[in-house]
Amino acid sequence: FRPNIARLRGYVPGEQPREKGYIKLNTNENPYPPSPLVLARLRDACSADLRLYPDPDAWALRRKLGEVFAISPQQIMVGNGSDELLNVIIRSFAGEGDKIAYPHPTYGYYKPLIDIQGAEAVPVEFDEDFSLPEGLAVPGARVTFLANPNAPSGTLVPYDEVAALCARVDGVLVVDEAYVDFSQGGCVQLIEEHPNAIVVRTMSKSFSLAGMRIGFAFAPAALIEGMWKVKDHYNLNRLSLVAAEAALEDIDAMRANAARVCATRTHLCAGLRALGFYVWDSQANFVLARLGERWTNCAAAELYAQLKERRILVRYFAAPPRLADCLRISVGTDAEIAALLTALKELSPV
């Protein structure tokens, strides 16, 4: 192995239980199914045509995305989930030893991707309120990542602050908007105002298509043209292309589901605060909850385990230390959140 691979700590995704019967609030999946149009189109697409390669340019999907977001298809790249696009971006712009900056704590997959490339990770600590760090424009950084809304906090940086950061960074700014459809934010217009802006989104969360692995990136055409040389050919399979196009045709179904999730998020936040948790204001389909004084005699790891015994899965982060007393909780259905809050009341030390 290359030395950087030998010492690499790989990314550990949220648990996917092999048994059924769990309330899954640990991986930020949408609790509601995708549009019926998506399912119907997928059934029709399961035909002998599966013997054929997919369109390597994903032209129909890029044209549809261009119509929805009012930008040119030449400013769009699609990928096998947004994770593939993050990988393409790093490989396109950063070599061994080059700096890649990101606020911390944030999406845990950035660091392994940086390490695989042999680049230098430069984490910049968030303040306690997860506002944009002053020092995030690291001199000489070839890439700067900003998850917005952030994971695991769910907090959102306003557009004006993101635009000002884009003007200050030396390399490209990648705004990772995996959860943006659960917010009032959005930075797609950055690509018309800044030549170094890339905005990445996914259909895993708001579109309920985590199992199809569909992501897309918006950037100035010159950046897309260069990144195109790095992406895998045939990187999106035939069924994923069908699902993505259908989901965009029935985008109102996604918006309705996102609105339901946001309404339940409000109820979840209120319930957790009433139980003595500190909850950051979230603009995502999850919340980050810190155990308060009421839970002094119960560690977050212990509470995670007790919930799992009741077949309720949430996310616990042993590192970094500032998250060791926190749980990240995905927004489920109203019934799932009611079950969680009931369990927490029963487990509460007070």
Side-chain angles (χ1 to χ4, degrees):
F1 291 101
R2 294 159 51 205
N4 59 312
I5 302 301
R7 62 176 176 264
L8 176 69
R9 295 186 65 180
Y11 178 69
V12 180
E15 182 179 357
Q16 296 288 353
R18 292 180 174 85
E19 302 173 6
K20 295 191 175 182
Y22 282 89
I23 294 177
K24 251 184 119 281
L25 305 175
N26 64 326
T27 51
N28 301 341
E29 293 147 324
N30 198 309
Y32 303 110
S35 158
L37 181 64
V38 171
L39 301 179
R41 292 276 180 84
L42 284 172
R43 293 186 190 101
D44 292 342
C46 290
S47 69
D49 283 349
L50 291 179
R51 68 186 178 83
L52 302 172
Y53 284 115
D55 176 8
D57 296 329
W59 174 249
L61 174 55
R62 290 166 57 224
R63 183 175 58 194
K64 179 66 69 176
L65 284 164
E67 292 170 359
V68 170
F69 291 95
I71 61 176
S72 166
Q74 280 71 35
Q75 296 173 294
I76 303 170
M77 175 182 286
V78 298
N80 183 22
S82 58
D83 286 341
E84 183 201 12
L85 297 170
L86 300 177
N87 197 356
V88 166
I89 290 165
I90 289 175
R91 291 160 61 200
S92 296
F93 297 104
E96 286 198 33
D98 285 337
K99 294 178 180 178
I100 300 179
Y102 54 90
H104 182 264
T106 191
Y107 181 33
Y109 195 41
Y110 299 149
K111 179 65 161 58
L113 288 176
I114 295 167
D115 290 344
I116 290 168
Q117 184 70 356
E120 178 187 351
V122 185
V124 181
E125 287 297 314
F126 272 119
D127 289 335
E128 183 64 21
D129 63 357
F130 285 94
S131 57
L132 192 66
E134 268 303 315
L136 187 54
V138 174
R142 299 282 295 168
V143 180
T144 302
F145 285 114
L146 177 66
N148 200 39
N150 185 53
S153 64
T155 48
L156 183 76
V157 175
Y159 177 85
D160 289 349
E161 293 184 30
V162 179
L165 175 65
C166 197
R168 296 201 314 271
V169 298
D170 289 338
V172 295
L173 175 68
V174 183
V175 186
D176 185 350
E177 296 191 331
Y179 302 100
V180 76
D181 289 322
F182 304 102
S183 78
Q184 300 300 313
C187 291
V188 174
Q189 71 188 79
L190 267 184
I191 72 167
E192 305 292 358
E193 302 170 359
H194 297 272
N196 61 330
I198 304 174
V199 178
V200 178
R201 293 193 178 187
T202 178
M203 286 189 154
S204 294
K205 315 300 183 183
S206 57
F207 284 93
S208 307
L209 290 174
M212 300 304 296
R213 311 305 300 133
I214 305 159
F216 41 96
F218 305 122
L223 297 188
I224 294 294
E225 182 180 1
M227 290 159 55
W228 205 270
K229 295 182 285 187
V230 178
K231 84 168 186 70
D232 291 342
H233 53 281
Y234 305 128
N235 62 327
L236 218 57
N237 68 67
R238 294 183 70 91
L239 296 181
S240 293
L241 290 170
V242 167
E245 291 169 40
L248 291 170
E249 286 183 37
D250 191 17
I251 198 168
D252 286 343
M254 177 277 284
R255 290 170 177 157
N257 280 347
R260 294 173 73 185
V261 168
C262 290
T264 306
R265 180 182 69 202
T266 299
H267 173 63
L268 171 61
C269 289
L272 290 170
R273 287 167 179 150
L275 288 168
F277 290 86
Y278 178 84
V279 183
W280 282 266
D281 290 332
S282 175
Q283 293 289 303
N285 67 337
F286 58 85
V287 302
L288 184 65
R290 170 169 284 158
L291 280 65
E293 292 182 5
R294 179 173 177 173
W295 299 85
T296 302
N297 297 322
C298 180
E302 179 185 356
L303 185 55
Y304 157 81
Q306 290 173 338
L307 288 170
K308 186 173 180 179
E309 288 177 2
R310 294 172 180 238
R311 302 184 79 78
I312 299 174
L313 293 178
V314 297
R315 194 76 188 267
Y316 168 70
F317 300 95
R322 65 185 288 182
L323 296 181
D325 58 350
C326 297
L327 296 175
R328 193 196 68 192
I329 304 169
S330 304
V331 180
T333 64
D334 287 339
E336 289 172 334
I337 294 307
L340 169 72
L341 293 174
T342 296
L344 289 172
K345 287 176 185 176
E346 294 171 354
L347 293 169
S348 173
V350 180

